[in-house]
Each structure stands twice: as structure tokens, then as C-alpha cells.
Amino acid sequence: MEKFTPTFWLQRPIHWSLVFGLTSLLVSCGSNDIPIGPTSLNSRYTEEQPVLSGNGRFLAFVSNRNGNQQLLMYDLERQLFIRTPGINRAETIAESPSLSYTGRYIAYLTSDQGRAVVALYDRATQQSQIVTPTYRGWVRKPNISPDGRYVVFETAIRGQWDIEVLDRGPNIELDIPNGATVSSPP
């Protein structure tokens, strides 16, 4: 008959290099190492709904900094915030951002006379305009095409959520990388 000898986890050989490695990893990932401040990406406030521009340079997100909800844009290459005057107005909420390829255009939800509308911000002109003024139903989840010509969103005009495609027209200034050519659809 075989004799059974119980072994406890403390009696097993310990790989000390693994223990020290994990300990140093935990210590190095402390919250004190996260840059926090008015010019850093991270803050002590709620930040949500992040989106990247098509070229990966710009990040737009909704933040609760300064005690109110606001839409912010951050340049990942230069590591600083981009001014967007006109997006965050008093007593309105900006949310659900979407960026064109180079981040020139920002489509987002805001409120107009107490109802949600889709707005479009042009960073070149620093102006925002409502692109859904005639929609009487609810709208949500706007998204802009990489070139900035089309804006899609969901609407509840018919009593259910449907998809709408808004063509801003062929005469708008497209958001394309420098030197790229624009081809016409066949």
C-alpha cells in the first residue's frame, strides 16, 4: 500500500524570480505614474466614447472635466489638446463623436431646443452647424465618412430605429490627405 503525504502550497518550490517580477510589475503600474493634469490625456474624471481619426493621429472623446460634460479632441502625435471653440456650449451636451480621416470634421450629437440633433464641426473654419434641423424624431449614433461628405445616423421618425444617410453634396471641401486625388464614382 502506498503512503499518502499531503503537501501544502507553501512546501512547493517557489520561483523567486517570478515573484519579484510580478511584484515589480505591480509597483511600477501604480496610479501615481499616470500623468494627470489639464494637458494630459488622463484625468480623475469620467472619460468615455473615444474615437480615432482615420489616420490615427487625433482622438475625440467625451469628458466630465471641469464639472460638466464636454467633447474634447486630443492630438496623439503632439500630445496636447486641440481647441474646438463652438462645440461645447453652455447648457448643451455634446456626445457620440465621430471623426473624418484627418479629424477636420467632427460629427456629434448635441441638443437644440431640448431635442437631440446631429451637428457637424469643421476645424478649418471653427464653426459648428446642425445637419438634422428638420428631423422631428429622435436621432442617435452619428458617424461621418472618412472624406467628410456623408453623415449616417439612426433616427426614430417611423417609430423604430432606422438608418439615415445624409449626403452633404459634391461641392463641400473633402477631408483628404495632402496630395491624394479624389476619384469620381463610376
Side-chain angles (χ1 to χ4, degrees):
M1 191 145 110
E2 247 181 78
K3 185 176 178 185
F4 175 72
T5 309
T7 58
F8 299 101
W9 70 274
L10 289 174
Q11 294 174 326
R12 292 186 183 166
I14 297 175
H15 299 282
W16 288 106
S17 62
L18 181 62
V19 171
F20 288 125
L22 289 174
T23 304
S24 65
L25 178 66
L26 288 173
V27 170
S28 67
C29 290
S31 63
N32 294 336
D33 294 336
I34 299 173
I36 295 175
T39 60
S40 69
L41 182 58
N42 295 303
S43 76
R44 298 188 187 283
Y45 299 97
T46 301
E47 288 155 346
E48 57 191 359
Q49 304 173 17
V51 294
L52 282 173
S53 60
N55 62 3
R57 179 173 176 181
F58 297 101
L59 169 71
F61 61 98
V62 175
S63 177
N64 197 22
R65 296 175 190 213
N66 303 325
N68 58 351
Q69 186 173 333
Q70 56 190 334
L71 196 150
L72 300 176
M73 189 162 182
Y74 190 79
D75 185 337
L76 294 167
E77 186 177 291
R78 295 175 33 213
Q79 296 186 359
L80 53 86
F81 283 97
I82 304 297
R83 287 184 25 84
T84 54
I87 286 185
N88 299 306
R89 300 176 312 189
E91 299 184 21
T92 62
I93 294 175
E95 60 185 1
S96 298
S98 176
L99 296 175
S100 60
Y101 185 77
T102 66
R104 174 180 175 172
Y105 296 111
I106 305 169
Y108 63 99
L109 279 182
T110 189
S111 59
D112 181 41
Q113 299 176 356
R115 63 184 174 90
V117 293
V118 177
L120 182 74
Y121 183 79
D122 184 350
R123 285 187 35 230
T125 63
Q126 295 186 340
Q127 293 183 349
S128 186
Q129 69 180 53
I130 296 172
V131 295
T132 59
T134 59
Y135 285 85
R136 295 293 170 226
W138 289 100
V139 294
R140 68 180 185 185
K141 299 182 182 176
N143 201 340
I144 191 162
S145 63
D147 64 3
R149 179 172 174 174
Y150 300 97
V151 178
V152 297
F153 53 93
E154 295 178 19
T155 180
I157 289 177
R158 298 184 324 135
Q160 66 183 28
W161 289 109
D162 292 317
I163 297 170
E164 295 278 341
V165 179
L166 181 87
D167 183 355
R168 296 179 54 220
N171 297 327
I172 64 146
E173 191 170 327
L174 297 176
D175 182 1
I176 56 172
N178 290 338
T181 58
V182 179
S183 60
S184 300

